[in-house]
Amino acid sequence: MQISSVNDVKIYNLSHGKSLPEWLSDRKKRQLQKKDVDLQRRIELIQDFEMPTVCTSIKVSKDGQFILAAGTYKPRIRCYDTYQLSLKFERCLDSDVVAFDILSDDYSKLVFLHCDRYIEFHSQHGHYYKTRIPKFGRDFSYHYPSCDLYFVGTSSEVFRLNLEQGRFLNSLQTDAAENTVCDINPVHHLFATGTSEGRVECWDPRVRNRVGMLDCALSSLTAETEVHGLPSVSALKFNGSLTMAVGTSTGQVLLYDLRSNQPLLAKDHFYNLPIKSLNFHDQLDLVVSADSKIIKIWNKDNGKIFSSIQPQTNINDVCIYPHSGMLFTANEDPKMNTFYIPALGPAPRWCSFLDNLTEELEESPESTVYDDYKFVTRKDLENLGLSHLVGSSLLRAYMHGFFMDIRLYHKVKSMANPFAYEEYRKDKIRQKIEESRTQRVQVKKLPKVNKELALKLMEEGDDEAELASRKKKGKALPSILGDDRFKVMFENPDYQVDEQSEEFRLLNPIVSKVGQKRKKKLRDTELTYDLFDEEEPEGRASSEEESSDDDKSWVEEVREQRRLLRQEGRDRQRQERKEADRNTVLHPQFYQIKAGEEFRSFKDMVRKQKLQKASLEDRLKLEELSEASNMADTAVGSKQLTFTLKKSEKQKKQQEAEREHHEERKKLRRSAGHLSSGRGRGWGGGRGRGGRSRH
């Protein structure tokens, strides 16, 4: 069960919660109900109160004992017995149901209008008769005095089927291209039909003549309404002998008195969706209107909202249980919702225990999930000394902080600050004393928090008050110091401005220049009032030059502040390093020299440690480059052992081939001793300048 409150009206959603699959065994269902808390808290008012896929319409019989619902898929009708709180029967149909009605006080006489133009009649035992109308139907109404069924649809005609004679009668010819909905007044039996052009035509069944017409399309449009098309009539409902409610496809509900062609009241849902259902609650003079998104309950005299219900799924139909505060909704969901509103009326007789249940819930309100937890930030954890709990099960991360158990928080808080209660008590006593002093003669003094800001605001306020006094009709603007919305800023120490912070130092030049410009503007305004006819003195800089100089000056100040902040940051880091070095205790590191090893230097030890950490591939590469490994000071004495790595057969063959090639090249080498030691042609022996002459 879910509890919500809209406009101080409690609404109980009795269908909220998990539902068990039908294919589970009874034993498995009992086991789940014992383990799952959500299943234990749910209220299954009527057993199997749902459809396989979607529920399209729902109605209650006149005696209040049976609830009938039509849905899909497959198309079917289900009847629930409220006395037994369970499903009485289920009948599958050949096609989807557009509308249905209960002709008797119980479920023994039913009429269904199908989407394929068929009209199907059911009796107590099941299917009774089936016939067809000429056009596709959209709605129908039953006229009890004459036993006539009036069908409207995609035609200008209203088809009449007399159930006493068992034949069709002459149709009613309307001026509309299509008729969408219809209804019959329960008092004087006036028949009304809504058209796709936004009109309502009223007919007298006794003489079969039209007696009136209302143009609801123009009445639903206002100056603020966006017109995307001609609004049609989507819902129609009579209340009493003179009141009629009309719902349009653009989301407006119009209340009419049949003696007037102008609506008494127009209510907009502001969703721009067609009105699906209209109902009247006569005990409190309320109207229950619904579109696919929301159900609105409002007063029919002044249109004031009483409450509203917004389910999670789209709404197809709404039904009010007579003389109670219970509503049933047909949704685009397998589950049919059941809402109970105690403010509308008592619970029905077959579920009177709901009144006792809701009274107990109001006496002991249910605590929310977050009442047992405290939200803390990382800074709060550092102040409490609980930073080491981050990542444990005691803290649950949420947004920019964590949730922790409120009992743990209070326990740690009392240990971290045992005198917190005494300080809180002293602050409360001081506040009470200051409140009692407000009745005395007030002396203008600075507050204890943000004194500099208060002094600045006082000076600006005095300047503005003096300027306003010079004007004939001027009034000084109210100061922040006298505004109750900002009084906490000058009372609570948490709002103290830190002038040494980086943000303040970067913004202060800009704020100070703005304040200087404001003072200069006030001063210039005073001069304007004093010397209205005088010209600007010579040699005085213009306002544009002064503003440009001011901009340059505050830019330079901001740069200077940034430079100082960087310098302070470097100095702070240098100081922290010095403190760390001062507090560091030097511990000598000892290296163990194994037997047979010779100590050369610490660098050699470091190189060996790095070599040990290297991978096998890197060590093999280093050994290939050195091609030999030397080991000294072994256990057998100071001897040196040299060995070479074993090579593969392929490497041996390649080296042998290279060696034979070099030997062959040596044999073919020619001696160059017979050549002259003088320079050759390339060194100046040519015909050019500087060459040797021939004889």
Side-chain angles (χ1 to χ4, degrees):
M1 183 172 63
Q2 185 184 36
I3 307 173
S4 60
S5 179
V6 180
N7 201 15
D8 295 332
V9 177
K10 289 288 185 67
I11 301 172
Y12 298 88
N13 186 359
L14 306 179
S15 302
H16 184 76
K18 295 181 179 179
S19 58
L20 295 174
E22 296 180 357
W23 43 266
L24 286 179
S25 62
D26 295 339
R27 182 180 179 183
K28 188 66 174 178
K29 289 180 180 179
R30 287 193 298 269
Q31 291 178 356
L32 289 175
Q33 288 176 356
K34 291 179 181 179
K35 296 179 181 179
D36 200 330
V37 180
D38 294 336
L39 292 176
Q40 293 175 2
R41 292 181 177 179
R42 69 170 187 155
I43 296 177
E44 192 174 10
L45 194 62
I46 300 175
Q47 188 177 2
D48 298 331
F49 195 62
E50 57 185 14
M51 282 286 172
T53 307
V54 173
C55 182
T56 56
S57 56
I58 185 169
K59 291 182 184 295
V60 178
S61 62
K62 294 180 178 63
D63 58 3
Q65 183 180 353
F66 302 101
I67 302 172
L68 288 98
T72 190
Y73 179 81
K74 299 181 178 180
R76 68 191 65 204
I77 182 75
R78 284 185 174 181
C79 179
Y80 298 90
D81 191 346
T82 58
Y83 291 174
Q84 302 297 328
L85 298 178
S86 61
L87 179 66
K88 187 172 183 62
F89 65 84
E90 178 184 15
R91 298 172 184 170
C92 290
L93 306 172
D94 295 335
S95 58
D96 291 334
V97 176
V98 178
F100 78 96
D101 199 1
I102 306 171
L103 303 184
S104 60
D105 292 340
D106 54 3
Y107 67 92
S108 58
K109 295 180 182 179
L110 304 175
V111 183
F112 299 96
L113 172 62
H114 293 283
C115 62
D116 54 357
R117 297 192 288 135
Y118 274 100
I119 310 299
E120 189 171 353
F121 297 89
H122 281 220
S123 62
Q124 191 170 3
H125 63 82
H127 173 75
Y128 178 75
Y129 184 73
K130 196 173 185 180
T131 185
R132 205 173 188 184
I133 57 176
K135 300 291 184 180
F136 289 97
R138 292 181 177 175
D139 197 8
F140 71 93
S141 295
Y142 181 62
H143 187 246
Y144 283 92
S146 62
C147 300
D148 288 344
L149 282 173
Y150 290 80
F151 296 94
V152 297
T154 58
S155 173
S156 60
E157 293 181 297
V158 178
F159 305 106
R160 294 192 303 150
L161 176 62
N162 188 272
L163 301 183
E164 185 179 9
Q165 303 177 21
R167 64 186 183 92
F168 283 96
L169 304 179
N170 293 332
S171 303
L172 304 180
Q173 185 66 40
T174 63
D175 294 338
E178 294 180 358
N179 294 286
T180 54
V181 291
C182 64
D183 193 23
I184 294 179
N185 192 290
V187 179
H188 48 69
H189 306 291
L190 182 69
F191 173 75
T193 175
T195 66
S196 58
E197 290 84 4
R199 296 189 182 94
V200 175
E201 297 187 11
C202 297
W203 294 73
D204 188 353
R206 298 171 297 180
V207 295
R208 299 187 300 278
N209 291 329
R210 188 173 63 194
V211 295
M213 180 184 293
L214 290 174
D215 194 347
C216 302
L218 296 178
S219 300
S220 64
L221 300 177
T222 60
E224 300 177 355
T225 306
E226 296 183 3
V227 180
H228 299 286
L230 187 64
S232 60
V233 178
S234 59
L236 195 63
K237 189 70 175 179
F238 280 104
N239 180 41
S241 59
L242 297 176
T243 306
M244 179 179 65
V246 180
T248 64
S249 60
T250 53
Q252 290 87 22
V253 180
L254 308 175
L255 282 182
Y256 282 94
D257 190 314
L258 294 180
R259 297 168 293 185
S260 174
N261 59 357
Q262 295 296 326
L264 301 175
L265 183 66
K267 186 69 177 177
D268 198 342
H269 274 217
F270 297 106
Y271 279 96
N272 202 24
L273 296 172
I275 302 298
K276 292 288 188 75
S277 174
L278 288 172
N279 292 279
F280 287 91
H281 194 274
D282 296 330
Q283 287 80 7
L284 298 178
D285 292 334
L286 299 176
V287 179
V288 182
S289 57
D291 56 21
S292 59
K293 290 290 185 183
I294 192 171
I295 303 171
K296 288 194 174 184
I297 307 172
W298 44 279
N299 192 289
K300 70 176 183 180
D301 296 327
N302 51 24
K304 185 179 179 181
I305 285 290
F306 178 79
S307 185
S308 62
I309 305 171
Q310 193 165 5
Q312 297 179 354
T313 55
N314 291 343
I315 303 168
N316 290 327
D317 193 14
V318 177
C319 176
I320 301 178
Y321 195 89
H323 310 293
S324 71
M326 184 170 288
L327 285 79
F328 302 105
T329 62
N331 315 304
E332 291 288 328
D333 193 65
K335 187 180 294 184
M336 294 179 283
N337 289 335
T338 304
F339 296 97
Y340 176 51
I341 307 175
L344 289 181
R349 184 178 59 182
W350 47 272
C351 57
S352 58
F353 62 90
L354 289 176
D355 290 330
N356 300 330
L357 181 62
T358 54
E359 288 176 3
E360 292 176 2
L361 290 175
E362 290 179 0
E363 291 175 0
S364 57
E366 183 181 358
S367 61
T368 57
V369 179
Y370 301 106
D371 288 346
D372 299 331
Y373 293 88
K374 173 70 176 177
F375 181 79
V376 291
T377 60
R378 286 188 177 272
K379 188 176 181 181
D380 297 335
L381 292 176
E382 292 175 0
N383 296 334
L384 296 173
L386 299 178
S387 302
H388 61 283
L389 294 181
V390 176
S392 65
S393 59
L394 298 176
L395 296 178
R396 184 171 294 276
Y398 182 76
M399 294 179 67
H400 63 284
F402 305 90
F403 273 117
M404 66 182 301
D405 195 291
I406 191 67
R407 296 170 295 179
L408 176 62
Y409 175 79
H410 287 317
K411 189 174 181 179
V412 176
K413 186 75 173 177
S414 61
M415 295 174 62
N417 190 5
F419 303 103
Y421 176 74
E422 293 296 332
E423 295 176 359
Y424 171 77
R425 184 171 174 271
K426 290 179 181 179
D427 291 339
K428 283 295 182 181
I429 294 173
R430 180 176 51 80
Q431 291 179 7
K432 291 291 183 182
I433 295 173
E434 290 179 356
E435 289 177 1
S436 62
R437 288 176 179 174
T438 55
Q439 300 176 358
R440 303 178 183 178
V441 178
Q442 296 292 325
V443 180
K444 192 174 183 180
K445 62 178 181 180
L446 295 175
K448 295 183 179 180
V449 182
N450 292 327
K451 294 182 180 180
E452 293 79 6
L453 178 60
L455 181 61
K456 181 180 178 181
L457 293 174
M458 286 180 181
E459 293 177 356
E460 293 179 356
D462 294 340
D463 296 339
E464 291 182 355
E466 184 179 356
L467 177 62
S469 63
R470 291 175 177 269
K471 299 181 181 180
K472 295 181 180 180
K473 298 182 180 180
K475 292 184 180 180
L477 296 174
S479 176
I480 296 178
L481 293 172
D483 198 336
D484 294 337
R485 296 175 296 175
F486 303 97
K487 68 178 182 179
V488 184
M489 191 169 60
F490 302 99
E491 296 176 357
N492 193 346
D494 295 338
Y495 291 91
Q496 177 66 43
V497 178
D498 186 9
E499 297 184 358
Q500 300 300 325
S501 63
E502 180 180 353
E503 293 82 2
F504 179 83
R505 293 176 62 180
L506 292 177
L507 291 175
N508 189 43
I510 303 174
V511 176
S512 61
K513 287 301 176 183
V514 171
Q516 292 177 7
K517 288 183 179 180
R518 187 175 182 182
K519 290 181 179 179
K520 180 179 177 299
K521 184 177 180 181
L522 291 172
R523 192 165 54 250
D524 294 343
T525 309
E526 292 177 0
L527 291 174
T528 304
Y529 279 102
D530 294 340
L531 306 172
F532 185 78
D533 297 330
E534 295 184 7
E535 297 180 356
E536 187 179 8
E538 295 183 2
R540 184 178 177 184
S542 63
S543 60
E544 295 180 358
E545 294 176 355
E546 290 180 357
S547 63
S548 61
D549 294 340
D550 293 341
D551 294 340
K552 292 179 181 178
S553 62
W554 74 257
V555 169
E556 293 296 332
E557 290 185 15
V558 171
R559 290 177 180 173
E560 181 66 19
Q561 290 294 332
R562 289 185 182 276
R563 188 186 65 79
L564 292 175
L565 288 172
R566 288 195 295 269
Q567 183 65 29
E568 291 177 1
R570 288 193 293 267
D571 295 342
R572 196 182 304 110
Q573 292 178 359
R574 195 178 298 111
Q575 188 68 22
E576 290 176 356
R577 286 197 296 269
K578 288 182 180 179
E579 292 291 336
D581 295 340
R582 191 179 298 112
N583 297 330
T584 302
V585 179
L586 297 177
H587 298 283
Q589 294 183 358
F590 297 95
Y591 294 90
Q592 181 181 3
I593 301 176
K594 297 180 180 180
E597 292 185 359
E598 180 183 359
F599 176 76
R600 294 184 178 87
S601 64
F602 286 104
K603 293 183 179 180
D604 193 16
M605 299 294 295
V606 173
R607 185 183 61 80
K608 287 184 178 181
Q609 291 179 358
K610 289 184 178 180
L611 188 61
Q612 290 177 359
K613 294 180 180 179
S615 62
L616 178 62
E617 182 182 0
D618 296 338
R619 292 200 300 269
L620 290 176
K621 287 182 180 179
L622 291 174
E623 291 174 357
E624 287 179 359
L625 291 175
S626 60
E627 200 177 12
S629 299
N630 296 327
M631 294 181 63
D633 298 335
T634 59
V636 296
S638 298
K639 298 201 176 175
Q640 186 175 6
L641 180 66
T642 304
F643 61 91
T644 57
L645 298 176
K646 185 178 180 180
K647 297 181 181 180
S648 61
E649 295 294 333
K650 185 176 181 181
Q651 291 177 347
K652 290 180 180 180
K653 290 181 180 180
Q654 186 176 1
Q655 289 182 357
E656 187 68 24
E658 290 178 356
R659 191 179 299 109
E660 292 177 358
H661 177 70
H662 286 305
E663 293 294 334
E664 184 180 357
R665 296 295 297 176
K666 287 180 181 180
K667 292 178 181 180
L668 295 176
R669 187 179 62 180
R670 292 174 295 178
S671 176
H674 64 281
L675 297 176
S676 176
S677 61
R679 295 182 177 179
R681 183 176 298 178
W683 293 91
R687 294 182 181 181
R689 187 178 56 186
R692 189 188 305 175
S693 59
R694 290 185 181 183
H695 299 284

